[in-house]
Amino acid sequence: MSKVFAALAVSVDGYISGRGSGPDHGLGDAPMLFDWYFDGDTPSQAVDGFKLSAPSARVFDTAATRVGAVIAGHKTYDDSGAFGGNSPHPNASLVVLSHGPVAEISERQTLAHTVEDAVAAARELAGGKDVGLMGGGVVTSALRAGLVDELILHQVPVLLGGGRPFFQELPDHIRLNLVEAVPAPGVTHLHYEIVR
């Protein structure tokens, strides 16, 4: 069965966007969270336009090529301009998780109202490949439901002091097993498995 994982850029103090993020404002005052996508000389084999350091390219491309479908929350979807009717991943289907109606859902996008339904739909669309999670709310909901297999934190060496946190409150501790830690220019890639 396909795995469900999240791979997001995050500050050392746990934020995935800065203050003032939102539609037409991107990451708010934290664009440096994505600097490592463009600060190297190794082109990504998975996403056109990304030029990463060699260690970052290996980690990023390994994760990106696993993905057959992506689940994004309503806020991430809105803040990203509905991904222009497409998906944030060039070769993966998109499932939007929302508890209410969502404007602008295209034929290439699927709407789900619970995290369980979103994961089931994404697994079907992924065709045997893995499911990627996007957005702190989606990741937290999937963790609460016991649906996450792995977390990859692309930890950027900055303390933002505010913004949108990666993780929200969880009902219990979730133990992690470190699979790999890869230092790279401007980022450290931390790959964890969920301990069941």
Side-chain angles (χ1 to χ4, degrees), residues 63-95:
T65 56
R66 294 172 50 186
V67 176
V70 175
I71 300 171
H74 194 160
K75 179 137 181 62
T76 299
Y77 180 80
D78 286 346
D79 288 357
S80 301
F83 300 107
N86 293 306
S87 169
H89 188 291
N91 301 313
S93 301
L94 174 66
V95 177

mmCIF file of all heavy atoms in Angstrom, residues 63-95:
data_model
loop_
_atom_site.group_PDB
_atom_site.id
_atom_site.type_symbol
_atom_site.label_atom_id
_atom_site.label_comp_id
_atom_site.label_asym_id
_atom_site.label_seq_id
_atom_site.Cartn_x
_atom_site.Cartn_y
_atom_site.Cartn_z
ATOM 1 N N ALA A 63 12.066 12.371 -2.721
ATOM 2 C CA ALA A 63 10.712 12.515 -2.161
ATOM 3 C C ALA A 63 9.699 12.841 -3.254
ATOM 4 O O ALA A 63 8.615 12.246 -3.317
ATOM 5 C CB ALA A 63 10.697 13.582 -1.073
ATOM 6 N N ALA A 64 10.036 13.778 -4.126
ATOM 7 C CA ALA A 64 9.079 14.236 -5.140
ATOM 8 C C ALA A 64 8.705 13.137 -6.129
ATOM 9 O O ALA A 64 7.555 13.064 -6.570
ATOM 10 C CB ALA A 64 9.649 15.439 -5.886
ATOM 11 N N THR A 65 9.633 12.271 -6.469
ATOM 12 C CA THR A 65 9.326 11.217 -7.440
ATOM 13 C C THR A 65 8.487 10.093 -6.839
ATOM 14 O O THR A 65 7.933 9.281 -7.580
ATOM 15 C CB THR A 65 10.611 10.637 -8.065
ATOM 16 O OG1 THR A 65 11.472 10.166 -7.030
ATOM 17 C CG2 THR A 65 11.325 11.677 -8.905
ATOM 18 N N ARG A 66 8.357 10.063 -5.528
ATOM 19 C CA ARG A 66 7.502 9.067 -4.866
ATOM 20 C C ARG A 66 6.018 9.423 -4.981
ATOM 21 O O ARG A 66 5.151 8.570 -4.829
ATOM 22 C CB ARG A 66 7.830 8.991 -3.368
ATOM 23 C CG ARG A 66 9.177 8.469 -3.019
ATOM 24 C CD ARG A 66 9.488 8.611 -1.545
ATOM 25 N NE ARG A 66 8.420 8.092 -0.683
ATOM 26 C CZ ARG A 66 8.418 8.217 0.641
ATOM 27 N NH1 ARG A 66 9.410 8.836 1.265
ATOM 28 N NH2 ARG A 66 7.426 7.725 1.356
ATOM 29 N N VAL A 67 5.710 10.698 -5.208
ATOM 30 C CA VAL A 67 4.355 11.217 -5.049
ATOM 31 C C VAL A 67 3.492 10.965 -6.285
ATOM 32 O O VAL A 67 3.848 11.335 -7.398
ATOM 33 C CB VAL A 67 4.403 12.731 -4.745
ATOM 34 C CG1 VAL A 67 3.002 13.319 -4.661
ATOM 35 C CG2 VAL A 67 5.159 12.983 -3.451
ATOM 36 N N GLY A 68 2.327 10.359 -6.040
ATOM 37 C CA GLY A 68 1.342 10.178 -7.100
ATOM 38 C C GLY A 68 0.118 11.050 -6.910
ATOM 39 O O GLY A 68 -0.646 11.276 -7.846
ATOM 40 N N ALA A 69 -0.082 11.535 -5.688
ATOM 41 C CA ALA A 69 -1.194 12.443 -5.386
ATOM 42 C C ALA A 69 -0.817 13.289 -4.185
ATOM 43 O O ALA A 69 -0.042 12.868 -3.329
ATOM 44 C CB ALA A 69 -2.482 11.669 -5.106
ATOM 45 N N VAL A 70 -1.382 14.494 -4.146
ATOM 46 C CA VAL A 70 -1.122 15.449 -3.072
ATOM 47 C C VAL A 70 -2.458 15.827 -2.430
ATOM 48 O O VAL A 70 -3.462 15.998 -3.132
ATOM 49 C CB VAL A 70 -0.447 16.729 -3.629
ATOM 50 C CG1 VAL A 70 -0.293 17.778 -2.548
ATOM 51 C CG2 VAL A 70 0.882 16.401 -4.263
ATOM 52 N N ILE A 71 -2.445 15.955 -1.104
ATOM 53 C CA ILE A 71 -3.603 16.476 -0.382
ATOM 54 C C ILE A 71 -3.219 17.842 0.169
ATOM 55 O O ILE A 71 -2.216 17.976 0.868
ATOM 56 C CB ILE A 71 -4.019 15.558 0.782
ATOM 57 C CG1 ILE A 71 -4.372 14.171 0.274
ATOM 58 C CG2 ILE A 71 -5.199 16.171 1.554
ATOM 59 C CD1 ILE A 71 -4.582 13.152 1.378
ATOM 60 N N ALA A 72 -4.004 18.861 -0.167
ATOM 61 C CA ALA A 72 -3.790 20.219 0.350
ATOM 62 C C ALA A 72 -5.045 20.663 1.084
ATOM 63 O O ALA A 72 -6.161 20.344 0.667
ATOM 64 C CB ALA A 72 -3.475 21.191 -0.784
ATOM 65 N N GLY A 73 -4.858 21.394 2.152
ATOM 66 C CA GLY A 73 -5.987 21.953 2.887
ATOM 67 C C GLY A 73 -6.565 23.162 2.169
ATOM 68 O O GLY A 73 -5.948 23.743 1.271
ATOM 69 N N HIS A 74 -7.763 23.543 2.596
ATOM 70 C CA HIS A 74 -8.477 24.662 1.980
ATOM 71 C C HIS A 74 -7.660 25.958 2.049
ATOM 72 O O HIS A 74 -7.576 26.705 1.079
ATOM 73 C CB HIS A 74 -9.829 24.819 2.673
ATOM 74 C CG HIS A 74 -10.793 25.686 1.945
ATOM 75 N ND1 HIS A 74 -12.130 25.641 2.170
ATOM 76 C CD2 HIS A 74 -10.632 26.629 0.993
ATOM 77 C CE1 HIS A 74 -12.752 26.511 1.395
ATOM 78 N NE2 HIS A 74 -11.858 27.137 0.678
ATOM 79 N N LYS A 75 -7.028 26.225 3.200
ATOM 80 C CA LYS A 75 -6.251 27.464 3.337
ATOM 81 C C LYS A 75 -5.053 27.461 2.405
ATOM 82 O O LYS A 75 -4.790 28.454 1.722
ATOM 83 C CB LYS A 75 -5.812 27.660 4.793
ATOM 84 C CG LYS A 75 -4.969 28.916 4.993
ATOM 85 C CD LYS A 75 -5.376 29.658 6.224
ATOM 86 C CE LYS A 75 -4.592 30.921 6.457
ATOM 87 N NZ LYS A 75 -4.710 31.939 5.444
ATOM 88 N N THR A 76 -4.324 26.362 2.362
ATOM 89 C CA THR A 76 -3.180 26.262 1.447
ATOM 90 C C THR A 76 -3.649 26.426 0.003
ATOM 91 O O THR A 76 -3.005 27.106 -0.800
ATOM 92 C CB THR A 76 -2.467 24.906 1.634
ATOM 93 O OG1 THR A 76 -1.995 24.818 2.975
ATOM 94 C CG2 THR A 76 -1.311 24.748 0.669
ATOM 95 N N TYR A 77 -4.765 25.805 -0.316
ATOM 96 C CA TYR A 77 -5.350 25.891 -1.659
ATOM 97 C C TYR A 77 -5.682 27.337 -2.014
ATOM 98 O O TYR A 77 -5.311 27.839 -3.075
ATOM 99 C CB TYR A 77 -6.595 25.005 -1.700
ATOM 100 C CG TYR A 77 -7.325 24.971 -3.009
ATOM 101 C CD1 TYR A 77 -6.872 24.178 -4.062
ATOM 102 C CD2 TYR A 77 -8.501 25.692 -3.188
ATOM 103 C CE1 TYR A 77 -7.563 24.123 -5.265
ATOM 104 C CE2 TYR A 77 -9.199 25.635 -4.381
ATOM 105 C CZ TYR A 77 -8.733 24.849 -5.411
ATOM 106 O OH TYR A 77 -9.415 24.794 -6.602
ATOM 107 N N ASP A 78 -6.369 28.031 -1.101
ATOM 108 C CA ASP A 78 -6.721 29.432 -1.341
ATOM 109 C C ASP A 78 -5.481 30.319 -1.427
ATOM 110 O O ASP A 78 -5.361 31.170 -2.318
ATOM 111 C CB ASP A 78 -7.646 29.954 -0.240
ATOM 112 C CG ASP A 78 -9.058 29.421 -0.353
ATOM 113 O OD1 ASP A 78 -9.418 28.861 -1.407
ATOM 114 O OD2 ASP A 78 -9.819 29.561 0.638
ATOM 115 N N ASP A 79 -4.546 30.122 -0.480
ATOM 116 C CA ASP A 79 -3.334 30.950 -0.454
ATOM 117 C C ASP A 79 -2.476 30.761 -1.693
ATOM 118 O O ASP A 79 -1.690 31.636 -2.049
ATOM 119 C CB ASP A 79 -2.494 30.643 0.794
ATOM 120 C CG ASP A 79 -3.123 31.172 2.074
ATOM 121 O OD1 ASP A 79 -4.184 31.829 1.999
ATOM 122 O OD2 ASP A 79 -2.556 30.912 3.155
ATOM 123 N N SER A 80 -2.634 29.617 -2.356
ATOM 124 C CA SER A 80 -1.831 29.303 -3.545
ATOM 125 C C SER A 80 -2.588 29.577 -4.836
ATOM 126 O O SER A 80 -2.217 29.060 -5.895
ATOM 127 C CB SER A 80 -1.388 27.834 -3.499
ATOM 128 O OG SER A 80 -0.643 27.592 -2.339
ATOM 129 N N GLY A 81 -3.651 30.357 -4.758
ATOM 130 C CA GLY A 81 -4.403 30.706 -5.959
ATOM 131 C C GLY A 81 -5.014 29.500 -6.640
ATOM 132 O O GLY A 81 -5.069 29.435 -7.873
ATOM 133 N N ALA A 82 -5.481 28.524 -5.838
ATOM 134 C CA ALA A 82 -6.108 27.296 -6.342
ATOM 135 C C ALA A 82 -5.168 26.523 -7.259
ATOM 136 O O ALA A 82 -5.596 25.703 -8.054
ATOM 137 C CB ALA A 82 -7.435 27.589 -7.040
ATOM 138 N N PHE A 83 -3.864 26.804 -7.139
ATOM 139 C CA PHE A 83 -2.835 26.147 -7.953
ATOM 140 C C PHE A 83 -3.134 26.271 -9.452
ATOM 141 O O PHE A 83 -2.772 25.408 -10.243
ATOM 142 C CB PHE A 83 -2.662 24.672 -7.559
ATOM 143 C CG PHE A 83 -2.247 24.478 -6.127
ATOM 144 C CD1 PHE A 83 -3.148 23.997 -5.188
ATOM 145 C CD2 PHE A 83 -0.970 24.811 -5.709
ATOM 146 C CE1 PHE A 83 -2.770 23.835 -3.865
ATOM 147 C CE2 PHE A 83 -0.588 24.657 -4.379
ATOM 148 C CZ PHE A 83 -1.496 24.166 -3.467
ATOM 149 N N GLY A 84 -3.821 27.364 -9.791
ATOM 150 C CA GLY A 84 -4.128 27.607 -11.200
ATOM 151 C C GLY A 84 -4.966 26.506 -11.832
ATOM 152 O O GLY A 84 -4.920 26.283 -13.038
ATOM 153 N N GLY A 85 -5.756 25.804 -11.005
ATOM 154 C CA GLY A 85 -6.585 24.721 -11.519
ATOM 155 C C GLY A 85 -5.828 23.415 -11.679
ATOM 156 O O GLY A 85 -6.388 22.432 -12.171
ATOM 157 N N ASN A 86 -4.580 23.390 -11.269
ATOM 158 C CA ASN A 86 -3.749 22.200 -11.415
ATOM 159 C C ASN A 86 -3.378 21.628 -10.053
ATOM 160 O O ASN A 86 -4.157 21.662 -9.123
ATOM 161 C CB ASN A 86 -2.492 22.550 -12.223
ATOM 162 C CG ASN A 86 -2.825 22.888 -13.651
ATOM 163 O OD1 ASN A 86 -3.460 22.118 -14.339
ATOM 164 N ND2 ASN A 86 -2.402 24.062 -14.097
ATOM 165 N N SER A 87 -2.161 21.128 -9.953
ATOM 166 C CA SER A 87 -1.642 20.552 -8.722
ATOM 167 C C SER A 87 -0.318 21.230 -8.403
ATOM 168 O O SER A 87 0.371 21.693 -9.314
ATOM 169 C CB SER A 87 -1.423 19.046 -8.923
ATOM 170 O OG SER A 87 -0.701 18.485 -7.858
ATOM 171 N N PRO A 88 0.088 21.274 -7.127
ATOM 172 C CA PRO A 88 1.399 21.836 -6.805
ATOM 173 C C PRO A 88 2.543 20.943 -7.278
ATOM 174 O O PRO A 88 3.683 21.372 -7.336
ATOM 175 C CB PRO A 88 1.375 21.935 -5.278
ATOM 176 C CG PRO A 88 0.375 20.916 -4.852
ATOM 177 C CD PRO A 88 -0.654 20.873 -5.940
ATOM 178 N N HIS A 89 2.231 19.719 -7.636
ATOM 179 C CA HIS A 89 3.231 18.749 -8.094
ATOM 180 C C HIS A 89 2.978 18.487 -9.582
ATOM 181 O O HIS A 89 1.853 18.190 -9.972
ATOM 182 C CB HIS A 89 3.088 17.459 -7.292
ATOM 183 C CG HIS A 89 4.167 16.462 -7.524
ATOM 184 N ND1 HIS A 89 4.306 15.790 -8.715
ATOM 185 C CD2 HIS A 89 5.145 16.010 -6.717
ATOM 186 C CE1 HIS A 89 5.330 14.957 -8.627
ATOM 187 N NE2 HIS A 89 5.861 15.077 -7.422
ATOM 188 N N PRO A 90 4.005 18.567 -10.422
ATOM 189 C CA PRO A 90 3.779 18.467 -11.862
ATOM 190 C C PRO A 90 3.221 17.135 -12.338
ATOM 191 O O PRO A 90 2.579 17.077 -13.388
ATOM 192 C CB PRO A 90 5.164 18.727 -12.463
ATOM 193 C CG PRO A 90 6.130 18.440 -11.371
ATOM 194 C CD PRO A 90 5.420 18.763 -10.101
ATOM 195 N N ASN A 91 3.429 16.060 -11.584
ATOM 196 C CA ASN A 91 2.987 14.737 -12.041
ATOM 197 C C ASN A 91 2.038 14.051 -11.071
ATOM 198 O O ASN A 91 1.923 12.831 -11.080
ATOM 199 C CB ASN A 91 4.210 13.836 -12.259
ATOM 200 C CG ASN A 91 5.154 14.422 -13.282
ATOM 201 O OD1 ASN A 91 4.747 14.851 -14.344
ATOM 202 N ND2 ASN A 91 6.425 14.462 -12.945
ATOM 203 N N ALA A 92 1.375 14.819 -10.225
ATOM 204 C CA ALA A 92 0.508 14.226 -9.219
ATOM 205 C C ALA A 92 -0.866 14.884 -9.212
ATOM 206 O O ALA A 92 -0.986 16.085 -9.460
ATOM 207 C CB ALA A 92 1.151 14.360 -7.838
ATOM 208 N N SER A 93 -1.871 14.097 -8.938
ATOM 209 C CA SER A 93 -3.228 14.613 -8.792
ATOM 210 C C SER A 93 -3.344 15.375 -7.482
ATOM 211 O O SER A 93 -2.560 15.166 -6.561
ATOM 212 C CB SER A 93 -4.222 13.447 -8.783
ATOM 213 O OG SER A 93 -4.125 12.710 -9.973
ATOM 214 N N LEU A 94 -4.355 16.247 -7.387
ATOM 215 C CA LEU A 94 -4.575 17.042 -6.179
ATOM 216 C C LEU A 94 -5.929 16.721 -5.574
ATOM 217 O O LEU A 94 -6.950 16.701 -6.270
ATOM 218 C CB LEU A 94 -4.513 18.542 -6.493
ATOM 219 C CG LEU A 94 -4.863 19.472 -5.327
ATOM 220 C CD1 LEU A 94 -3.822 19.352 -4.208
ATOM 221 C CD2 LEU A 94 -4.967 20.913 -5.797
ATOM 222 N N VAL A 95 -5.933 16.478 -4.264
ATOM 223 C CA VAL A 95 -7.157 16.360 -3.482
ATOM 224 C C VAL A 95 -7.172 17.537 -2.515
ATOM 225 O O VAL A 95 -6.194 17.766 -1.799
ATOM 226 C CB VAL A 95 -7.211 15.028 -2.706
ATOM 227 C CG1 VAL A 95 -8.462 14.968 -1.833
ATOM 228 C CG2 VAL A 95 -7.166 13.844 -3.665
#
